[in-house]
């Protein structure tokens, strides 16, 4: 047990390290890294512009920057944001809870709706229900996050809930297909032929077959939800990490972006590791 | 259900024909600017009105369909194929191969790929044709979008390896890629089809969002995504419901794909 | 008894009638300010905070465009613009109670002129090599000396926030109408009335009338407009033409067109000899005939009408006609004349072949225009230019890109062909464009950082720019600027396209608002604003 927890933590740290390094490289080589919009300020003298450019190049030596960053990270120092001139730690401390709250709520509701609709479609075998649900999920999966978020603002609803409507179609689609596939397995057909009730068939025969992939989907859905939530935060100016990430990307703020990558990696990997673990436990107990 | 599938097929064929025959369906062309009538309501001359520059919206929708209907499904197919191969091989091999693959998948889900897209765009010549630029954008989306589905495929493959029919296949001499191709992946069809179906609108919308950073389709070529960006002007949108047409068309296309891909319904 | 009651009532109501209106003014800024230190404010949002909180020696009235006394009761420019002496008000205190004196002005100037600070305001004072000195002659008199005359010297003090030398709160102690009370990162900034603010209105009532100003951080223009419509915010400094039209249709009192601004939108070609361009393209871009032909082939009237819905005017040159004193009124707009454009091109050996324009060497004329992605009007302008030039056989590719990438291309790598951008002229005095027109300057966009002027006309402009910046006589400077404008009009290194109108939104409940074309358009007189 301790060994597997240790391995899991090691895996998490390695992935976080790799992700932040690769992210730092991508940010560094992206055009505009050494640019500052103040360079276009015609009121600044040549010396000031030169100084601004030099300041931008402070972190250009990536290996050195990264080594210093890691050393500081061990002391709990996440660096200073270049674009906001504030400690990254303070910025993240304020913003992460906002995003996490929205994420948990959006995901919980999305799973509730997506799974419930998929199950209902299979249990009822209603073509009308399937047709309507397919239509609704097609509608929301085709609607840009930004547009839906703006509609929510128009209707004076919390825009973060738009993430629920954007994530549930994916959960619905995967779940629907998984359940459909599982319902066609020979042992399920046999159980139904032998008169097993619909709920019993679902709980005892279908769910165990679909569970491993469903559990994998749980982990992945965190990443999907985060990917949907961040642009909503940007557009609707919700003070979460999405808004921070956008501002950092616009100004190529390396310290902030590297730390944000760490946060996203941490959340993603924890979610996938937990779902992998749940899947393995389930498979072992089913066996 | 058969009727629905026929209907979906017919609609997709109609959309494809309209896109191919855009020159005849929308003779106004997607780039001509009727500068005397910018932002006008629908009329006989302009069935969906004109946009801010006086360009015929109907023509831009038809030509936009052409771009999105070809490239988005292609990118979706690419991402599904990559998910199937990588996830399938990882699940089949297990052990350190699976471990490494899962690490790569997690990395792909976490890394800020936006900067790669910006870098690739910067490497392309500035006068690259709009068609080439949008093709490259969709290609990159396809290459980067496989990780989520690959995880599910990997989990499904691991599970399927324990099933009896796979044992039987192995006992019959199937192994490696043949086993994967003939027995494992077909039984993961549901997940693969879901991935394909989801990816089409996701990539169209992603192309729209990338357009805000100059990474989408270049002027004057329209795409469904670039037309969807107009819906962000929500304050000025309300009295002009015809501007929702690209969204309705996308919903229709996605629904048609969904109907066609849902072949195997269990009937009572 | 009745009289007594009435008298008592008057005693009660009277002071209330004369009390401040109070209330909280709300408007949006588009992102987190980078700094709350007024001396370091360079970005738009930090400048908002500075404007609302900082005390300045004088303030340029945004309507009359004349400087009026603030912390200084008067000033005198001496030595042909090399010295300025201010007489200060007495008895003023910072928001934390610290006494204000001439020592604070001297301290501020010392901080501002620190070479390590790199502030736009400090740089504006650096007219030549040498030190800028500030001396507190007495507690209420301060004298500032410069190594050489400074153009537009007086008005520059509109942006100098006087910080306290002695206050324990350092730069956050303010002399302006408000002080920073609360800041929630990513959400809002709350400024409260400075209880020690010195200004009173004509009736002797303390200013500001408002209790507080709340700045909501809102990046999305659509949501800002929605919130304004709902009454959640009171002002919008810049309204897009589409939203302006929509609001006008709903209720004309919601928005105002303050008139044509001094901002410009322009297109230029990369003429840098070190740019990685093929020689034939470099030859095109460095040809005056080519640039003038492109200019004449662009329909500016259409641009103003279609992109800006009529809320813009075709631009003539460097300076907007709205800038009445500095604009060279002899200049006329470049006509839209594709036929004349073709003739000009033919002079340079261009010819048309099956609808495609080709140069002497047989190369088809095509080039790319970069502009900043996400700026819808600019993308639309680029699309219109593409369509206009197609009519004379030129193929234009439009390549929008994110701002940092664009800046890198035009300022550092110089790997672009043409660029479409705008210039914000915060100051009416064109001396702020010094670093655009000097050939050695970084912002001489079409051919930046020249060691020696590449062309005779650029050499002439250099001479004129230096002459105008070292003169304190505005009428003489006007002559120099007229000539600069004439040269720029003839040579068109920048092809000026339009001057946009200043479109603002001021809620009907806001009293005393007088929108201006100069920044900050809606709240430049914030201490006089009140809410009904």
């Amino acid at each position: 047990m301790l060994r597997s927890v240790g391995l899991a933590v090691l895996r998490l740290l390695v992935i976080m390290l790799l992700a932040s390094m690769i992210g730092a490289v991508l940010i560094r080589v992206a055009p505009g890294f050494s640019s500052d919009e103040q360079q276009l300020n015609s009121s600044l003298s040549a010396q000031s512009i030169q100084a601004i450019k030099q300041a931008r190049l402070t972190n250009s030596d990536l290996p050195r920057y990264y080594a210093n960053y890691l050393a500081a990270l061990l002391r709990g120092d996440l660096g200073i944001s270049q674009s906001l001139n504030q400690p990254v730690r303070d910025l993240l401390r304020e913003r992460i809870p906002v995003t996490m709250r929205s994420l948990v709520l959006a995901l919980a509701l999305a799973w509730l709706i997506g799974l419930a609709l998929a199950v209902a479609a299979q249990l009822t075998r209603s073509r009308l229900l399937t047709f309507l649900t397919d239509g609704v999920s097609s509608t929301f999966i085709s609607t840009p996050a930004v547009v839906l978020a703006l509609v929510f603002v128009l209707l004076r609803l919390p825009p973060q809930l738009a993430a629920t409507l954007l994530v549930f179609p994916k959960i619905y689609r995967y779940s629907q297909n998984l359940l459909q596939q599982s319902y066609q397995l020979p042992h399920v057909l046999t159980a139904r032929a032998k008169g097993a009730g619909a709920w019993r068939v679902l709980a005892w025969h279908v769910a165990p077959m679909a569970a491993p992939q469903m559990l994998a989907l749980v982990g992945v859905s965190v990443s999907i939800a985060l990917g949907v939530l961040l642009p909503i935060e940007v557009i609707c100016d919700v003070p979460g990490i999405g808004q921070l990430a956008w501002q950092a990307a616009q100004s190529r703020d390396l310290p902030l972006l590297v730390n944000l990558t760490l946060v996203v990696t941490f959340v993603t990997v924890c979610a996938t590791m937990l779902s992998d673990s749940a899947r393995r436990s389930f498979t072992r107990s089913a066996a | 259900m058969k009727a629905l599938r026929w209907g979906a097929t017919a609609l997709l064929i109609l959309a494809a024909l309209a896109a191919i025959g855009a020159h005849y369906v929308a003779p106004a062309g997607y780039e001509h600017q009727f500068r005397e009538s910018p932002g006008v309501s629908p009329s006989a001359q302009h069935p969906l009105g004109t946009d801010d520059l006086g360009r015929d919206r109907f023509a831009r929708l038809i030509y936009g369909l052409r771009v999105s209907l070809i490239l988005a499904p292609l990118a979706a197919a690419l991402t599904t194929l990559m998910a199937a191969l990588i996830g399938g091989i990882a699940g089949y091999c297990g052990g350190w191969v699976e471990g490494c693959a899962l690490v790569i998948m997690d990395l792909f889900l976490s890394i800020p790929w936006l900067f790669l897209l910006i870098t690739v765009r910067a490497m392309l010549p500035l006068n690259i044709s709009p068609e080439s630029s949008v093709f490259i954008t969709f290609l990159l989306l396809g290459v980067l979008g496989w990780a989520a589905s690959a995880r599910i495929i990997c989990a499904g493959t691991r599970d399927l390896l324990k099933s009896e029919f796979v044992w039987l296949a192995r006992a019959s001499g199937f192994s490696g890629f043949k086993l994967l191709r003939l027995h494992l992946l077909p039984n993961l069809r549901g997940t693969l089809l879901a991935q394909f179906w989801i990816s089409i609108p996701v990539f169209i919308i992603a192309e729209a969002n990338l357009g805000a950073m100059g990474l989408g389709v270049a002027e004057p070529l329209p795409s469904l995504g670039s037309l969807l960006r107009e819906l962000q002007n929500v304050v000025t949108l309300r009295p002009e419901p015809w501007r929702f047409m690209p969204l309705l068309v996308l919903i229709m296309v996605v629904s048609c794909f969904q109907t066609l891909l849902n072949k195997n319904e269990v009937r009572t | 008894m009745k009289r007594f009651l009435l008298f008592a009532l008057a005693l009660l109501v009277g002071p209330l009638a004369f009390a401040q209106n109070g209330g909280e003014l709300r408007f949006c800024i588009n992102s987190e300010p980078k700094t709350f230190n007024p001396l370091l404010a360079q970005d738009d949002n930090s400048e908002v905070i500075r404007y609302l909180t900082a005390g300045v020696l004088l303030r340029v009235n945004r309507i009359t465009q004349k400087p009026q006394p603030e912390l200084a009761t008067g000033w005198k420019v001496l030595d042909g613009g090399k010295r300025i002496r201010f007489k200060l008000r007495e008895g003023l205190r910072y928001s934390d109670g610290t006494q204000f004196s001439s020592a604070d002005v001297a301290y501020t100037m010392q901080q501002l002129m620190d070479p390590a600070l790199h502030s736009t305001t400090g740089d504006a004072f650096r007219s030549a090599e040498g030190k800028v000195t500030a001396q507190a002659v007495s507690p209420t008199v301060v004298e500032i000396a410069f190594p050489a005359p400074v153009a537009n010297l007086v008005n520059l003090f509109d942006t100098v926030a006087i910080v306290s030398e002695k206050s324990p709160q350092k730069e956050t102690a303010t002399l302006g109408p408000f002080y920073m009370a609360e800041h929630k990162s990513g959400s809002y900034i709350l400024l409260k009335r400075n209880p020690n603010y010195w200004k009173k209105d004509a009736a002797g009532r303390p200013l500001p009338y408002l209790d507080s100003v709340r700045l909501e951080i809102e990046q999305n223009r659509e949501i800002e407009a929605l919130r304004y419509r709902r009454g959640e915010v009171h002002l919008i400094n810049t309204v897009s033409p589409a939203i302006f039209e929509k609001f006008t249709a709903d209720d004309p009192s919601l928005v105002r067109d303050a008139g044509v601004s001094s901002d410009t939108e322009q297109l230029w070609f990369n003429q840098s000899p070190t740019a990685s361009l093929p020689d034939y393209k470099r030859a095109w871009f460095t040809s005056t005939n080519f640039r003038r032909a492109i200019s004449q082939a662009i329909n500016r009237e259409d641009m103003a009408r279609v992109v800006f819905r009529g809320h813009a005017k075709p631009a003539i040159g460097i300076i907007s006609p709205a800038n009445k004193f500095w604009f060279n009124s002899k200049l006329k707009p470049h006509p839209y004349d594709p036929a004349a454009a073709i003739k000009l091109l033919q002079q340079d050996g261009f010819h048309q072949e099956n609808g495609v324009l080709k140069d002497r060497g047989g190369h088809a004329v095509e080039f790319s225009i970069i502009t900043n992605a996400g700026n819808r009007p600019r993308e639309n302008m680029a699309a219109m230019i593409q369509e206009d030039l197609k009519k004379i056989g030129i193929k234009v590719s439009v390549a929008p890109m994110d701002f940092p990438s664009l800046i890198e291309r035009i300022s550092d790598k110089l790997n672009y062909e043409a660029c479409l951008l705008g210039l914000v002229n915060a100051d009416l005095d064109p001396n702020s464009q010094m670093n655009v027109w000097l050939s050695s300057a970084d912002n001489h966009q079409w051919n930046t950082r020249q060691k020696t002027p590449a062309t005779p006309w650029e050499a002439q402009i250099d001479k004129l720019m230096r002459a105008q910046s070292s003169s304190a006589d505005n009428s003489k400077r006007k002559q120099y600027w007229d000539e600069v404008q004439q040269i720029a009009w003839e040579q068109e290194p920048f092809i000026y396209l339009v001057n946009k109108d200043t479109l603002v939104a001021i809620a009907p409940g806001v009293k005393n608002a007088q929108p201006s074309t100069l920044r900050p358009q809606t709240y430049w007189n914030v201490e006089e604003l009140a809410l009904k």
Side-chain angles (χ1 to χ4, degrees), chain A residues 32 35 37 39 41-42 44-45 48 51 53 83 85 94-95 150 153-154 156 235 237 243 246 250 252, chain C residues 32 34 118 120 123 185-186 218-220 223 226 230 402 404-405 407-408 412 432 435-436 443 445:
Chain A
S35 308
E37 60 178 55
Q39 285 176 246
N41 189 336
S42 56
L44 284 171
S45 66
S48 295
K53 279 158 84 163
S83 56
N85 291 318
E94 286 165 359
R95 310 279 189 132
L150 288 174
V153 170
L154 253 176
R156 297 179 198 257
I235 290 300
D237 272 304
Q243 191 198 54
W246 181 249
Q250 294 279 50
R252 306 288 196 268
Chain C
E32 198 76 31
K34 292 193 177 167
H118 302 298
T120 50
D123 283 352
S185 178
E218 186 62 73
Q219 184 240 48
N220 188 280
I223 296 182
L226 259 174
R230 286 179 188 162
D402 71 312
S405 305
I407 295 170
E408 189 181 75
D412 300 324
S432 55
N435 289 328
V436 174
N443 284 305
Q445 296 297 357

Side-chain angles (χ1 to χ4, degrees), chain C residues 81-295:
Chain C
K82 283 173 77 171
R83 283 189 299 133
I84 184 165
R85 181 178 285 207
F86 288 99
K87 174 86 174 77
L88 306 175
R89 286 179 205 275
E90 291 180 58
L92 303 192
R93 289 182 179 279
Y94 281 85
S95 53
D96 66 344
T98 311
Q99 196 92 22
F100 162 67
S101 75
S102 58
D104 296 314
V105 179
Y107 171 75
T108 300
M109 288 306 295
Q110 187 192 39
Q111 295 298 302
L112 201 62
M113 300 315 297
D114 181 354
L117 200 70
H118 302 298
S119 90
T120 50
T121 312
D123 283 352
F125 284 124
R126 284 194 187 93
S127 49
E129 291 296 318
K131 221 168 168 255
V132 174
T133 57
Q135 193 192 3
V137 173
S138 74
T140 56
V141 174
V142 64
E143 190 170 292
I144 305 164
F146 303 91
V150 177
N152 194 33
L153 175 61
V154 172
N155 286 5
L156 286 176
F157 284 92
D158 174 274
T159 54
V160 178
I162 306 299
V163 296
S164 172
E165 189 187 23
K166 295 194 183 69
S167 166
Q169 286 186 16
K170 294 286 167 207
E171 301 87 20
T172 53
T174 70
L175 284 165
F178 300 96
Y179 69 94
M180 248 274 289
E182 254 176 70
H183 170 218
K184 187 162 179 233
S185 178
S187 197
Y188 69 86
I189 293 158
L190 183 65
L191 309 175
K192 285 192 172 161
R193 179 196 284 129
N194 177 359
N196 296 330
Y197 189 50
W198 57 273
K199 216 187 251 191
K200 290 180 168 40
D201 67 7
R205 283 175 291 186
L207 293 176
Y209 294 130
L210 297 165
D211 288 326
S212 55
V213 175
R214 189 179 167 103
L215 306 172
E216 300 280 346
I217 296 173
E218 186 62 73
Q219 184 240 48
N220 188 280
R221 298 294 111 216
E222 294 287 319
I223 296 182
E224 183 187 30
L226 259 174
R227 295 179 71 176
Y228 173 76
R229 201 69 186 85
R230 286 179 188 162
E232 291 170 20
V233 297
H234 298 103
L235 307 171
I236 305 179
N237 246 2
T238 314
V239 177
S240 74
I243 291 176
F244 186 91
E245 271 193 357
K246 172 80 176 66
F247 283 178
T248 306
D250 290 348
D251 178 359
S253 68
L254 288 173
V255 285
R256 301 191 216 181
D257 183 341
V260 69
S261 71
S262 45
D263 298 344
T264 54
E265 296 284 323
Q266 61 261 20
L267 172 76
W268 73 86
F269 291 99
N270 186 354
Q271 298 183 50
S272 172
T274 57
S276 51
L277 292 169
D279 289 339
Y280 62 87
K281 282 199 178 177
R282 188 173 289 109
W284 303 344
F285 300 157
T286 51
S287 155
T288 305
N289 279 347
F290 180 85
R291 295 193 301 273
R292 291 195 67 166
I294 298 294
S295 174

Side-chain angles (χ1 to χ4, degrees), chain A residues 142-172:
Chain A
S142 308
T143 306
V146 163
V147 173
L148 197 60
L150 288 174
V151 168
F152 267 62
V153 170
L154 253 176
L155 299 172
R156 297 179 198 257
L157 296 168
Q160 300 93 314
L161 289 183
T164 300
L165 293 179
L166 295 165
V167 174
F168 99 80
K170 294 166 188 170
I171 294 172
Y172 164 74

Side-chain angles (χ1 to χ4, degrees), chain B:
Chain B
M1 205 58 195
K2 222 177 180 177
L4 263 179
R5 265 199 287 280
W6 278 114
T9 311
L11 275 173
L12 278 178
I13 290 173
L14 192 66
L17 285 174
I20 292 165
H23 188 68
Y24 302 101
V25 173
Y30 63 83
E31 53 186 327
H32 185 77
Q33 298 166 4
F34 295 91
R35 293 183 183 177
E36 295 313 311
S37 41
V40 297
S41 311
S43 62
Q45 195 192 3
H46 304 292
L48 288 178
T50 57
D51 69 2
D52 291 343
L53 289 179
R55 297 175 297 197
D56 185 78
R57 280 188 197 280
F58 178 70
R60 288 181 69 74
L61 178 59
I62 298 297
Y63 279 90
L65 256 183
R66 186 194 274 188
V67 169
S68 302
L69 263 190
I70 295 171
L71 293 178
L74 277 179
L78 174 63
T79 210
T80 307
L81 187 65
M82 289 181 68
L85 283 175
I86 298 171
I89 291 170
Y92 177 77
C93 296
W96 67 269
V97 175
E98 185 190 4
C100 288
L102 288 176
V103 167
I104 293 170
M105 286 172 208
D106 285 342
L107 279 175
F108 261 74
L109 289 172
S110 312
I111 288 169
W113 293 114
L114 176 67
F115 295 99
L116 176 66
L117 292 167
I118 293 172
T119 305
V120 168
R121 181 63 188 93
M123 286 160 54
L124 298 172
L126 287 174
N127 58 0
I128 192 173
S129 70
E131 292 84 0
S132 306
S133 125
V134 74
F135 175 79
I136 290 169
T137 302
F138 274 106
L139 179 66
L140 281 171
L141 288 173
V143 163
L144 297 173
W146 56 270
S149 185
R151 267 197 153 268
I152 304 170
I153 299 289
C154 181
T157 307
R158 296 295 299 151
D159 203 51
L160 278 177
L161 283 174
K162 297 182 203 104
S163 46
E164 286 175 7
F165 72 92
V166 171
W167 286 1
L168 192 60
R170 276 178 147 158
S172 307
F174 284 90
S175 67
F177 195 71
K178 212 169 179 182
L179 183 70
L180 192 65
R181 188 170 60 87
L182 292 175
H183 294 279
L184 294 171
L185 290 180
N187 283 285
L188 294 166
R189 190 182 54 240
T191 308
L192 291 170
L193 288 176
Q195 165 72 9
F196 179 75
W197 176 80
I198 285 166
S199 297
I200 295 170
V202 163
F203 288 159
I204 290 174
I205 292 166
E207 186 266 319
N209 293 335
L210 292 174
M213 295 198 79
L215 297 169
V217 70
E219 286 283 352
L221 187 68
S223 66
L224 264 187
S226 65
L227 297 173
L228 287 174
R229 269 179 66 202
E230 285 190 25
L231 295 181
Q232 293 179 27
N233 302 332
V234 70
V235 170
T236 50
L237 197 56
R238 264 183 296 177
E240 299 177 7
W242 53 88
R243 283 162 69 179
F244 281 96
M245 206 55 183
L247 179 61
L248 290 175
V249 166
L250 179 59
I251 292 170
M252 180 207 79
V253 164
V254 166
S255 302
C256 290
F257 270 110
Q258 182 170 239
T259 307
L260 288 179
L261 293 170
N262 275 352
K263 271 174 64 179
N264 303 304
E265 259 193 74
V266 179
R267 298 217 170 96
T268 47

Side-chain angles (χ1 to χ4, degrees), chain A residues 129-248:
Chain A
L129 179 64
T130 308
F131 177 75
L132 287 172
T133 317
D134 283 356
V136 166
S137 69
S138 295
T139 301
F140 286 116
I141 208 170
S142 308
T143 306
V146 163
V147 173
L148 197 60
L150 288 174
V151 168
F152 267 62
V153 170
L154 253 176
L155 299 172
R156 297 179 198 257
L157 296 168
Q160 300 93 314
L161 289 183
T164 300
L165 293 179
L166 295 165
V167 174
F168 99 80
K170 294 166 188 170
I171 294 172
Y172 164 74
R173 188 75 266 157
Y174 275 117
S175 309
Q176 162 79 322
N177 284 15
L178 281 171
L179 290 175
Q180 213 167 52
Q181 209 169 275
S182 302
Y183 265 97
Q184 288 162 32
L185 292 170
H187 73 282
V188 175
L189 292 173
T190 307
R192 290 178 68 209
K194 284 188 171 176
W199 282 104
R200 193 184 170 83
V201 168
L202 177 68
W204 288 97
H205 300 282
V206 171
M209 301 313 297
Q213 289 185 66
M214 287 281 212
L215 287 167
L217 179 60
V218 169
V220 156
S221 66
V222 171
S223 172
I224 294 172
L226 209 52
V228 157
L229 200 53
L230 297 188
I232 290 176
E233 286 189 350
V234 171
I235 290 300
C236 300
D237 272 304
V238 175
I241 61 173
Q243 191 198 54
L244 201 59
W246 181 249
Q247 196 161 350

Side-chain angles (χ1 to χ4, degrees), chain C residues 290-308:
Chain C
F290 180 85
R291 295 193 301 273
R292 291 195 67 166
I294 298 294
S295 174
Q296 287 186 22
I298 294 172
N299 193 331
R300 291 170 175 78
E301 291 281 354
D302 272 2
M303 217 172 255
R305 185 173 50 79
V306 172
V307 177
F308 297 96

Side-chain angles (χ1 to χ4, degrees), chain A residues 59 78-89 91 244 247-248 251 253-257 259, chain C residues 34:
Chain A
N59 297 324
L78 302 182
I80 305 284
S81 158
Q82 282 176 322
S83 56
L84 297 173
N85 291 318
Q86 291 176 49
V88 173
R89 189 171 56 189
L91 288 168
L244 201 59
Q247 196 161 350
S251 42
D253 187 339
L254 185 61
L256 196 44
L257 285 167
N259 284 292
Chain C
K34 292 193 177 167

